[in-house]
Amino acid sequence: MLYYYNTAPQKFSLSLRNLLQTKPKNALSATDRLLHYSCQLRMPFQLTIQRPVEIEGFGLHTAVPCHLRLTPAPADTGIVFRRVDLDNFEIEAHVGNVARVSYATSLMKQGVLLSTTEHILAALYSCGVDNVYVELDALEVPILDGSAKPFIDLLARAGTRRLRRLRRYIRVLKPLEFADGDRRIGIYPAEEFRVHCFVNYDHPAVGPQEVELVVDRDSFCRELASARTFGFVKDFAGLKAMGLIRGGSLENAIVLDDRMILNPPLRFPDEFGRHKALDLIGDLALVGRPLQARIVAHKAGHALHTQLVTRLLADRSLWTETTDGHVPASAPSGVSVSISAASRF
């Protein structure tokens, strides 16, 4: 079944009273200020977080404990990971730093590795956080409950703050598509950021699942954030032999044997498809800018996702950079934008 979601324009924690109160010398009239604000809504500004926040957990593949801390960053910083256990060594969240994409997306710079970045990147990207430092004291982002919801909760505590720099979008102008066997992926021109994800697992509890939605902070929090990663018991021996899933458990993944789900209930009937859409968004964040495009992924995975980003950025005829946002994405300077931690779970 195809699940299709359209979201209403975002609401901001700003009242007209705030706009119209206390008028300093030489200030704009109330009407001019409202017109000026409406102009800002058409030209969104970059966001960072308002205050540092932190969380602890352990890696899905390494089982190594990790303390993760988000801190504000200035305009045009982007999303930057810092290995605080290695003298604050920085790894930019950019496809040029992708190292491995087999069972998670890993980044590497000058031999320094960072693994399993897709869930936190999906949360940051969907919530419009353009600039932030992600500090870690280990080589793998903690898996937490296997979804992006703990990171959404973290961002709700952090708040967001508008910066005095326009957000720059990558607007796709021409289609790009390619395939690897029966796996396909493509990116197409669109006025908004939209993803379409199809998966099909030969398992009685999964089968074909298809999800499409316009992605913004509201739709992501409501429809995708709490969808968990998953694994099949038949694959575990091989993965463990490769040194993977050492930290996997029934608490941080949906686990399936040959017939059934071992740790029900599901958070959504199509949780598998939704989680794959979450992973797709996290990998698309490696483009380094908000996208105005529609992405269609058919049985794709991390490898095809990151190949798409690499090929897109390599061909400058396929896209242009613009500051023209089609929907509101920020509030006036110094005013926080609310990120709700609510979801269907």
Side-chain angles (χ1 to χ4, degrees):
M1 181 178 292
L2 174 64
Y3 290 81
Y4 184 88
Y5 306 98
N6 252 325
T7 57
Q10 300 164 0
K11 297 179 181 178
F12 300 98
S13 57
L14 178 73
S15 67
L16 286 177
R17 189 189 329 175
N18 291 335
L19 277 174
L20 302 176
Q21 67 184 347
T22 61
K23 185 175 179 181
K25 188 178 181 180
N26 299 325
L28 296 172
S29 70
T31 302
D32 287 342
R33 291 166 74 188
L34 287 171
L35 288 173
H36 178 66
Y37 179 51
S38 69
C39 224
Q40 289 179 339
L41 293 183
R42 290 194 298 270
M43 299 177 62
F45 284 72
Q46 295 181 30
L47 297 179
T48 187
I49 61 172
Q50 195 168 28
R51 64 187 68 86
V53 287
E54 52 195 66
I55 197 167
E56 292 184 341
F58 53 86
L60 171 64
H61 295 298
T62 62
V64 173
C66 177
H67 180 268
L68 181 147
R69 185 170 185 260
L70 302 181
T71 63
D76 293 333
T77 299
I79 301 171
V80 177
F81 292 96
R82 279 179 171 168
R83 287 286 303 272
V84 298
D85 56 324
L86 297 174
D87 297 323
N88 287 329
F89 187 87
E90 295 186 349
I91 306 175
E92 297 80 10
H94 191 271
V95 72
N97 290 325
V98 168
R100 295 199 299 258
V101 287
S102 51
Y103 294 94
T105 299
S106 300
L107 307 179
M108 182 182 286
K109 182 179 176 183
Q110 297 178 23
V112 176
L113 182 67
L114 184 68
S115 184
T116 318
T117 60
E118 56 269 23
H119 297 174
I120 190 168
L121 286 179
L124 292 167
Y125 196 64
S126 298
C127 290
V129 179
D130 304 282
N131 306 289
V132 67
Y133 293 113
V134 184
E135 300 178 348
L136 309 96
D137 61 0
L139 60 78
E140 187 176 15
V141 176
I143 190 62
L144 304 174
D145 75 343
S147 78
K149 188 177 185 299
F151 296 120
I152 292 296
D153 296 341
L154 194 65
L155 287 172
R157 292 183 3 231
T160 53
R161 180 169 55 88
R162 200 204 78 175
L163 300 170
R164 296 181 181 274
R165 196 73 55 85
L166 289 176
R167 176 176 285 151
R168 290 176 290 164
Y169 298 83
I170 286 183
R171 178 178 294 166
V172 171
L173 303 175
K174 295 189 293 186
L176 168 66
E177 51 192 11
F178 57 94
D180 180 11
D182 64 344
R183 302 171 183 267
R184 305 190 303 273
I185 195 164
I187 188 166
Y188 309 92
E191 290 299 313
E192 67 278 304
F193 178 39
R194 179 187 294 269
V195 298
H196 180 116
C197 190
F198 172 83
V199 299
N200 189 5
Y201 292 92
D202 185 16
H203 190 283
V206 187
Q209 297 184 4
E210 192 167 10
V211 174
E212 175 162 1
L213 75 163
V214 175
V215 182
D216 59 22
R217 63 172 66 90
D218 291 335
S219 66
F220 183 82
C221 292
R222 184 178 62 251
E223 307 295 349
L224 300 182
S226 59
R228 297 161 293 170
T229 192
F230 55 93
F232 299 90
V233 172
K234 63 182 177 62
D235 298 329
F236 288 175
L239 291 171
K240 289 180 178 178
M242 297 165 60
L244 301 173
I245 65 166
R246 294 173 180 174
S249 74
L250 295 174
E251 279 67 55
N252 57 33
I254 306 167
V255 179
L256 305 95
D257 64 13
D258 292 338
R259 298 180 300 103
M260 59 187 291
I261 298 167
L262 300 183
N263 53 340
L266 292 176
R267 297 178 176 179
F268 304 94
D270 57 345
E271 189 168 357
F272 307 94
R274 293 182 192 233
H275 186 79
K276 284 298 185 181
L278 186 161
D279 280 348
L280 171 63
I281 293 166
D283 290 338
L284 291 171
L286 297 171
V287 77
R289 295 275 187 275
L291 278 166
Q292 292 178 348
R294 179 174 184 254
I295 299 89
V296 178
H298 180 92
K299 300 171 66 174
H302 295 301
L304 283 189
H305 301 165
T306 54
Q307 284 181 46
L308 179 72
V309 174
T310 299
R311 295 190 189 192
L312 175 70
L313 294 180
D315 189 344
R316 196 62 175 78
S317 71
L318 297 175
W319 54 275
T320 188
E321 192 173 272
T322 179
T323 57
D324 181 18
H326 78 287
V327 293
S330 61
S333 180
V335 178
S336 64
V337 178
S338 174
I339 295 176
S340 171
S343 73
R344 286 179 54 177
F345 172 67

